[in-house]
Amino acid sequence: MRAADAATYVNVFALTGIATVLVTRAFLAQAGYPKLGGGGDSSLHIAHMLWGGLLMMAAILLTLGFLGRGARLTGAFVGGIGFGLFIDEVGKQITDEPGYFYRPAAGIIYVSFALLLLLTHLIRRRAAQSTGLDARQRSVNAADLALAGVADGLTAEQRCAALRLVEGSDRELDAALARLIAAVPERPPAALAWWRRWASGVGRALRRLARTRIVLALAVFCLLTEALLFSVWMSADLFGGQLAREPQPGAHLAVALTEVVSAVLGLIGLIRLRGDRATAFRFFRAALLADMFIGQIFKFTMDQFAAVVELGVDLTLLWVISASLTARRTPTPAYPAPVPAVARAA
């Protein structure tokens, strides 16, 4: 049975893991890469991969031993930290040499988290579709929310979401679930509700800013400049004979090819910008995704974690382009969506 809010937990797991890798690398660099368990001539070294395994075990035990969404959220958070500590030392496991600084390790770490975030996107997109859950899955997820309500109560928003899952069903089970959901105690919004409202307001303001002509023009300029500069620079190294002297020639070749593809997609988008803006922005997004899902893997291999800055720039550009596409694709409703009848009755 697929959980309707699975994307939330996978997202927490992935983002916590990413933060753990970055914090671990920064801390170790500042501390001079100390050894836990021994120093000097001691051969004892407790790798932080072991601590990662212990934390992942703790996350599994949390989800096995406790009921409710709080346990799943805590398990996702603890498991994300454990996975970050685990995957950070992947370089030691794929080479016989001292492998913490093994160059391809950063690319492997990057692609692992990129696939996790892609999985989050696919889960969220499927959950947003009207046919995402069948009747049994809707009942099970409504029962899961009811269980959370029995334990801790439900906020008005949670109660409405639970009732929507069984709205319109003529099954006796769903009618019983609707009565249970309506009967569980009311829980006031979380203490951080003000922070969520503030974050939501900031998010709306940023999306409006991202859709302005100046920001869009700047994003397109940065995208094309980055792709063209990288493609010219890497191609010059390729044809100038510099590639043979690089420690990772295969990675350089892959980056050069990817940047050429990104530049071509970006130029096609620029050409289409006057006639069909939506299609043009799809080409811009494709150029960014090609760089992020192919080129960045090899950039991390070339420069280890120095590619984080460029990845941050790419993510910002992708967000601006995606915000513009979403605005063009989403119609503005003429009136608010109706509240389910069972929610009004509750």
Side-chain angles (χ1 to χ4, degrees):
M1 283 293 170
R2 182 166 54 89
D5 56 352
T8 299
Y9 304 117
V10 178
N11 204 37
V12 169
F13 179 87
L15 294 178
T16 305
I18 292 170
T20 300
V21 171
L22 295 177
V23 169
T24 301
R25 291 273 173 164
F27 170 76
L28 291 177
Q30 291 296 319
Y33 299 93
K35 287 187 175 183
L36 182 60
D41 296 330
S42 174
S43 61
L44 179 64
H45 171 53
I46 303 174
H48 54 264
M49 175 179 279
L50 298 178
W51 299 110
L54 287 173
L55 286 172
M56 286 191 283
M57 181 188 72
I60 293 171
L61 293 177
L62 275 170
T63 55
L64 290 177
F66 294 90
L67 296 173
R69 299 188 168 203
R72 290 206 293 271
L73 185 61
T74 305
F77 182 79
V78 174
I81 296 175
F83 182 70
L85 292 173
F86 168 81
I87 199 69
D88 183 62
E89 291 202 319
V90 67
K92 289 186 176 182
Q93 313 306 316
I94 55 179
T95 177
D96 292 332
E97 302 173 0
Y100 190 68
F101 300 104
Y102 183 56
R103 282 184 174 271
I108 295 171
I109 294 170
Y110 171 75
V111 76
S112 300
F113 286 115
L115 291 174
L116 272 174
L117 292 175
L118 178 61
L119 176 62
T120 303
H121 171 73
L122 294 175
I123 293 173
R124 183 174 285 119
R125 187 174 68 177
R126 183 175 177 185
Q129 296 173 351
S130 58
T131 58
L133 297 174
D134 59 28
R136 283 184 69 225
Q137 289 172 331
R138 291 169 69 88
S139 298
V140 169
N141 280 279
D144 184 47
L145 277 166
L147 171 65
V150 170
D152 303 312
L154 290 175
T155 64
E157 182 182 358
Q158 290 173 327
R159 193 189 307 273
C160 188
L163 290 170
R164 284 185 187 277
L165 288 168
V166 295
E167 172 73 7
S169 173
D170 56 359
R171 298 197 305 165
E172 182 180 350
L173 172 63
D174 291 336
L177 283 172
R179 291 194 297 271
L180 174 60
I181 293 166
V184 297
E186 183 80 15
R187 180 163 62 88
L192 294 178
W194 65 269
W195 181 86
R196 292 179 181 175
R197 289 194 297 270
W198 176 84
S200 178
V202 171
R204 287 193 297 271
L206 288 176
R207 284 191 291 272
R208 286 195 296 269
L209 179 64
R211 294 163 188 161
T212 60
R213 286 181 177 272
I214 295 177
V215 174
L216 285 172
L218 184 61
V220 171
F221 174 78
C222 291
L223 184 158
L224 290 172
T225 301
E226 177 187 344
L228 289 170
L229 285 178
F230 263 102
S231 59
V232 171
W233 170 40
M234 303 299 288
S235 299
D237 284 349
L238 176 63
F239 293 109
Q242 298 291 328
L243 192 63
R245 293 189 287 273
E246 294 289 344
Q248 298 290 333
H252 278 71
L253 179 60
V255 170
L257 294 175
T258 304
E259 292 299 339
V260 169
V261 171
S262 294
V264 170
L265 290 172
L267 290 173
I268 293 174
L270 187 63
I271 294 171
R272 299 292 299 271
L273 196 56
R274 280 181 173 271
D276 188 350
R277 291 175 65 87
T279 301
F281 279 104
R282 290 191 188 97
F283 274 104
F284 293 146
R285 184 174 62 180
L288 284 168
L289 290 176
D291 183 44
M292 290 173 60
F293 281 97
I294 301 176
Q296 281 291 341
I297 298 173
F298 299 100
K299 288 176 185 177
F300 272 98
T301 300
M302 290 163 48
D303 300 326
Q304 281 278 326
F305 288 89
V308 169
V309 176
E310 187 188 345
L311 176 61
V313 173
D314 282 353
L315 287 171
T316 303
L317 296 177
L318 180 63
W319 177 76
V320 172
I321 298 298
S322 298
S324 177
L325 276 173
T326 302
R328 296 174 184 279
R329 193 168 53 235
T330 305
T332 303
Y335 50 86
V339 178
V342 287
R344 294 195 299 270

